[in-house]
Amino acid sequence: MSRPDPVPRNDSIAPAPLNLGVTLAVGFREIWAHKFRSLLTMLGIILGVASLVAMSALVKGIERGAREALIAVGGLKKVRVEPQEVPVDQRHLADQAVGVNLNDVEAIRQGAPLIAKVSPYMTIRGVLSANGRRYRPFILTGVWPVALEMNEHEIQYGRGFTELDEENARNVCIIGTAARDALWGSPEEVGREIIPVGRTVYINHVPFTIVGMFKHYESEQERRQRELEAKLAAKAAAEGKTNTVRRGSRRRRRGSNFVFWLKNSTVYIPLNTMWMKFRGELEAAGVTSVPRLSVLEVEVRSVERLPEALQQVRNILMATHKGIEDFTFRTQEDWAEGIEQFVRNARLSGGLIAGIALVVGGIGIMNIMLASISERIREIGIRKSVGATTRDIFVQILTESVVLAVLGGLIGLGVSFLLVRLIGSFSPTDNAPVITAGAMALAFGFSVAVGILAGIFPAIKAARLDPIQALRYE
Amino acid sequence: MALVELRNVSKIYHLGGEEIRALDDVTLDIEEGEFISIIGPSGSGKSTLMHILGCLDRPTSGTIRLDGVMIQSANPRELAAIRNRKIGFVFQFFNLLPKLNVLQNVELPMVYSGVPARERHRRAMEALEAVGLANRCKHRPSQLSGGQQQRAAIARALVNNPRIIFADEPTGNLDSHTGEAILELFKQLSHEGRTIVLVTHDPEIAAVTPRRIEIRDGRIAEKLDLTLAGLDRPGRAGAASTAGNS
């Protein structure tokens, strides 16, 4: 039995399908053959991708921190109703203006179904004294029990206010950890957590019993940092060294997130107690006739229906205030919008810079591809003479360009992790950068797109080479 | 029907307003299995003729049919496929890709005809064995002698089992001893029934082929048939007759 012809003739003149495996292999070989040159070429893409991802991580970190803070103050559902000066055209009625008062609270409760909660506040400036020390809280306010809920307060030790506290105007207070730290010392300073529940504190020289203490509020990042420090301290202590925990480290962190600091600096007493015991101070603070409030907060049932809910409140208040507009709304939407605006702007400017870096990287790739094809004119001629179509050459050059860009993109993603870690080490406490999969995908997609765009022109140039002239080229 | 049929083929270049007739009304048939040489001094148009025969170029006018396909009306993609499957080229400067090893060089035409990797390897090794270079398959072209490089190039030309092989001054860059060995290889391929067109300026080399076509100023100057001319010995005689015409 004779062997059949081992090489069958292929008489078809239809083009063969692209062999992507071989094309890719050729691309990688070409890059490997010029390692240093390829690395330099990729550098543009590497930096572009790394800066894009790092920038986005940075903005994301800041955004996350801001949103955390927004939630800590009660979120978007909370709206403040603040007293305001009577508008100019109603000035002649100013003496009839009643201000935001307790009657409003009742009226809103009864008449505004879109409002879930109403919380009145009376705030004074005051001094706490105990243990021979003095402390001036940022928020010294008379509240109803509902305020704790609305402001996302959590009582870690002791109890909240009861109806009896309110009705009997008892001298009880709930303090934040900042007051405890100032009067008795922070856990870091004392070495143990002091729980002053049951002790007496003087508020503007009036004795109060501390019935509860809030938990220590801090951002995710602060908590992690604190735990790390505690762990290090414990380790140091275990090794028998002197306790070298930095004093005042919390003070250093104080400015890092204003909202949490403010929340820790809160002292609440029952609203009725405030009214009964500190009328003088209240009048000094502008709360004059009987049930006036410093401010009123309402919580809407759903954020989607915020405008309608506000309209309900407005209608009610217009009625109770006899048409005098001596109040104003302040929503957290402004804040949320501010966050969004910041994020938008930061993304835009950061993206622009990273985009320019990527474009520069693309130009670098195009440049090197043009140099590469003029080095390889003869190779292209040879490939064409053995049957490479213009499409084959086009795809080959384009593949090399894309492989360069994709490699650069992948390395760039790796570099971005290092970069983010580096940035994180500069600002360890606040708003740690967060690398998102979306940002990585975006940056990688951009690098691929840049590779394609940068490769098209050189690929067309190479594919159009005349095989005869390319073969003659020395 | 001949394997290659050229009818009134002209190729005209325009250089700075001047018209250059590289080929002028050439009519020529090449039969299957023929071993034919095209001779002529440089600038005679023989390279242009080979480029047109080899589907690297298209004529300005006239028709050319290769293995039943009308070349002058084929699109570039079809021309590439024809070069790939019906034609094998052997060049004066070997034209191997320096970055690929010998085996990869020989596999190259099959990459463009969509042959699977395993099959590529098998056929390339067979072709390298046929030219006596199988033991050098992993070498780079730069690690081979000129003769070995040309053998690799011939293996590459053979590997897709083409209808016709064009050899453009295949010995031009080799010493005479190596050149003779390469010519022997072509003779052997001719004996195996392959159609070979040898392009050269050297009558001595042209003398190894039974049929010779001389190109002068873009025209076929003379058709010489060795047996008809009574020249049963290749070599000097052919050279003398060419010299006498110039």
Side-chain angles (χ1 to χ4, degrees):
Chain A
M1 203 176 114
S2 71
R3 212 166 139 238
D5 188 352
V7 181
R9 277 216 166 99
N10 179 354
D11 276 338
S12 152
I13 58 169
L18 274 177
N19 193 332
L20 267 184
V22 174
T23 314
L24 268 177
V26 170
F28 275 108
R29 190 161 48 218
E30 200 59 42
I31 287 162
W32 190 244
H34 306 103
K35 287 178 271 293
F36 190 59
R37 187 173 87 177
S38 302
L39 189 70
L40 286 179
T41 309
M42 284 189 280
L43 209 54
I45 299 291
I46 293 173
L47 291 179
V49 166
S51 59
L52 188 66
V53 173
M55 178 280 306
S56 132
L58 210 60
V59 172
K60 190 79 194 169
I62 294 169
E63 184 191 357
R64 189 170 281 191
R67 292 212 183 279
E68 231 174 51
L70 182 62
I71 289 163
V73 298
L76 282 173
K77 283 183 168 179
K78 214 170 77 171
V79 178
R80 283 165 74 88
V81 183
E82 292 176 352
Q84 100 175 337
E85 242 180 80
V86 181
V88 178
D89 56 331
Q90 294 181 327
R91 276 285 150 80
H92 58 287
L93 300 170
D95 56 334
Q96 296 190 42
V98 289
V100 180
N101 57 53
L102 266 179
N103 295 340
D104 295 336
V105 175
E106 205 46 47
I108 291 169
R109 262 187 171 177
Q110 304 287 333
L114 286 173
I115 300 299
K117 292 171 194 154
V118 189
S119 171
Y121 298 91
M122 288 182 186
T123 300
I124 58 166
R125 304 199 53 72
V127 179
L128 269 65
S129 52
N131 199 22
R133 296 189 212 179
R134 288 158 62 81
Y135 175 65
R136 197 174 276 277
F138 246 73
I139 300 171
L140 175 54
T141 304
V143 296
W144 282 356
V146 68
L148 275 71
E149 217 178 310
M150 274 182 70
N151 289 296
E152 308 267 328
H153 273 300
E154 244 181 76
I155 292 170
Q156 194 171 14
Y157 301 106
R159 62 171 177 89
F161 295 136
T162 63
E163 294 297 319
L164 280 176
D165 293 331
E166 176 67 24
E167 261 172 50
N168 299 340
R170 283 181 178 165
N171 286 8
V172 290
C173 65
I174 303 171
I175 62 168
T177 54
R180 187 266 321 266
D181 292 355
L183 297 174
W184 286 282
S186 68
E188 282 91 341
E189 286 164 340
V190 181
R192 68 186 171 88
E193 173 128 46
I194 291 171
I195 304 154
V197 174
R199 297 194 196 191
T200 300
V201 65
Y202 290 86
I203 301 177
N204 288 356
H205 312 298
V206 180
F208 275 73
T209 306
I210 300 172
V211 294
M213 187 171 78
F214 299 125
K215 72 170 215 184
H216 180 66
Y217 303 108
E218 58 200 341
S219 65
E220 244 339 80
Q221 189 60 28
E222 276 179 312
R223 189 180 59 75
R224 257 180 256 145
Q225 181 75 10
R226 186 171 53 79
E227 277 171 5
L228 187 72
E229 272 174 17
K231 206 190 270 177
L232 287 178
K235 205 174 163 192
E239 284 167 7
K241 290 177 191 162
T242 49
N243 196 338
T244 53
V245 174
R246 282 169 292 172
R247 290 193 105 208
S249 60
R250 182 168 291 180
R251 190 173 296 267
R252 180 175 59 80
R253 289 205 303 269
R254 227 188 217 179
S256 65
N257 212 324
F258 180 71
V259 167
F260 295 103
W261 174 69
L262 203 66
K263 217 170 156 181
N264 284 325
S265 183
T266 298
V267 173
Y268 279 168
I269 63 175
L271 187 76
N272 204 15
T273 311
M274 178 65 91
W275 178 242
M276 305 299 278
K277 302 284 158 62
F278 299 112
R279 199 168 301 187
E281 281 91 336
L282 283 170
E283 276 163 6
V287 181
T288 46
S289 69
V290 184
R292 276 211 185 186
L293 300 173
S294 311
V295 75
L296 186 115
E297 280 182 352
V298 297
E299 189 180 301
V300 298
R301 286 196 194 281
S302 85
V303 178
E304 286 78 45
R305 303 187 66 184
L306 185 66
E308 291 124 284
L310 289 186
Q311 192 56 50
Q312 279 185 350
V313 175
R314 173 176 218 89
N315 291 345
I316 290 162
L317 292 183
M318 277 309 215
T320 54
H321 290 212
K322 297 177 231 154
I324 301 169
E325 201 173 350
D326 57 351
F327 58 90
T328 180
F329 297 123
R330 182 165 299 172
T331 63
Q332 310 289 0
E333 272 199 324
D334 302 344
W335 190 350
E337 221 160 79
I339 295 173
E340 247 152 54
Q341 184 132 16
F342 163 76
V343 167
R344 237 190 340 263
N345 290 345
R347 283 222 177 107
L348 200 68
S349 53
L352 198 68
I353 293 166
I356 288 170
L358 277 173
V359 166
V360 170
I363 292 171
I365 289 185
M366 190 188 285
N367 200 5
I368 217 69
M369 290 314 296
L370 286 173
S372 168
I373 61 165
S374 49
E375 260 172 28
R376 290 154 66 198
I377 287 177
R378 204 179 168 84
E379 176 192 326
I380 291 160
I382 294 168
R383 286 182 183 273
K384 283 197 158 185
S385 75
V386 301
T389 59
T390 50
R391 184 195 61 176
D392 290 325
I393 302 295
F394 178 84
V395 171
Q396 185 189 328
I397 301 297
L398 195 64
T399 304
E400 281 179 37
S401 163
V402 171
V403 166
L404 264 179
V406 165
L407 277 182
L410 288 177
I411 297 174
L413 288 182
V415 169
S416 72
F417 275 90
L418 295 178
L419 205 61
V420 160
R421 191 168 280 195
L422 197 72
I423 295 169
S425 71
F426 281 128
S427 58
T429 54
D430 209 24
N431 305 330
V434 183
I435 293 182
T436 58
M440 287 172 68
L442 184 78
F444 187 70
F446 264 122
S447 69
V448 175
V450 162
I452 291 171
L453 288 177
I456 282 177
F457 174 59
I460 288 176
K461 215 180 155 200
R464 280 198 183 154
L465 281 176
D466 175 35
I468 298 170
Q469 283 176 9
L471 277 171
R472 278 202 197 119
Y473 188 86
E474 287 301 317
Chain B
M1 192 176 76
L3 181 64
V4 181
E5 293 175 356
L6 250 71
R7 294 286 175 271
N8 312 103
V9 165
S10 297
K11 180 74 186 179
I12 299 163
Y13 294 106
H14 293 276
L15 263 185
E18 207 179 331
E19 193 183 90
I20 295 167
R21 289 187 166 262
L23 279 183
D24 192 2
D25 202 28
V26 172
T27 296
L28 172 70
D29 279 0
I30 300 171
E31 299 292 337
E32 177 129 35
E34 259 194 306
F35 190 17
I36 177 174
S37 58
I38 297 172
I39 55 172
S42 61
S44 61
K46 64 179 192 306
S47 292
T48 307
L49 179 59
M50 192 201 78
H51 290 149
I52 286 175
L53 286 170
C55 297
L56 285 166
D57 205 354
R58 277 183 291 192
T60 313
S61 66
T63 63
I64 166 170
R65 186 203 292 270
L66 191 147
D67 196 25
V69 181
M70 299 302 285
I71 299 304
Q72 77 281 352
S73 58
N75 64 33
R77 190 181 273 196
E78 287 166 341
L79 287 183
I82 291 166
R83 285 200 297 274
N84 185 224
R85 289 151 209 181
K86 295 182 189 289
I87 294 169
F89 283 106
V90 179
F91 299 98
Q92 179 177 2
F93 296 103
F94 323 132
N95 279 349
L96 298 168
L97 293 184
K99 283 169 202 154
L100 305 183
N101 66 28
V102 168
L103 184 67
Q104 290 167 325
N105 264 292
V106 176
E107 283 184 2
L108 197 60
M110 294 187 284
V111 169
Y112 293 118
S113 49
V115 177
R118 186 171 291 196
E119 174 83 354
R120 280 207 302 270
H121 185 264
R122 186 180 66 75
R123 272 160 62 174
M125 284 311 292
E126 273 176 14
L128 281 171
E129 262 165 43
V131 298
L133 214 58
N135 56 341
R136 297 291 164 97
C137 65
K138 295 291 181 196
H139 286 57
R140 292 288 176 95
S142 56
Q143 295 168 308
L144 300 182
S145 71
Q148 286 169 328
Q149 288 189 54
Q150 196 59 300
R151 280 171 192 278
I154 292 168
R156 182 179 65 187
L158 291 174
V159 79
N160 254 352
N161 194 14
R163 293 279 159 162
I164 185 164
I165 293 168
F166 293 99
D168 186 6
E169 304 276 10
T171 59
N173 214 27
L174 301 171
D175 63 69
S176 60
H177 182 72
T178 319
E180 263 170 44
I182 293 295
L183 286 180
E184 273 308 313
L185 186 56
F186 277 116
K187 272 194 226 169
Q188 185 196 324
L189 291 171
S190 174
H191 278 303
E192 289 167 9
R194 299 207 176 261
T195 315
I196 299 169
V197 177
L198 202 65
V199 179
T200 180
H201 71 282
D202 186 348
E204 222 176 304
I205 291 160
V208 304
T209 67
R211 183 180 169 205
R212 283 171 286 169
I213 292 163
E214 192 179 337
I215 300 285
R216 207 167 283 268
D217 300 328
R219 288 170 173 275
I220 295 184
E222 195 177 352
K223 288 185 189 183
L224 273 178
D225 197 300
L226 208 63
T227 48
L228 285 178
L231 303 167
D232 51 336
R233 255 184 60 90
R236 285 292 135 210
S241 77
T242 317
N245 287 322
S246 56

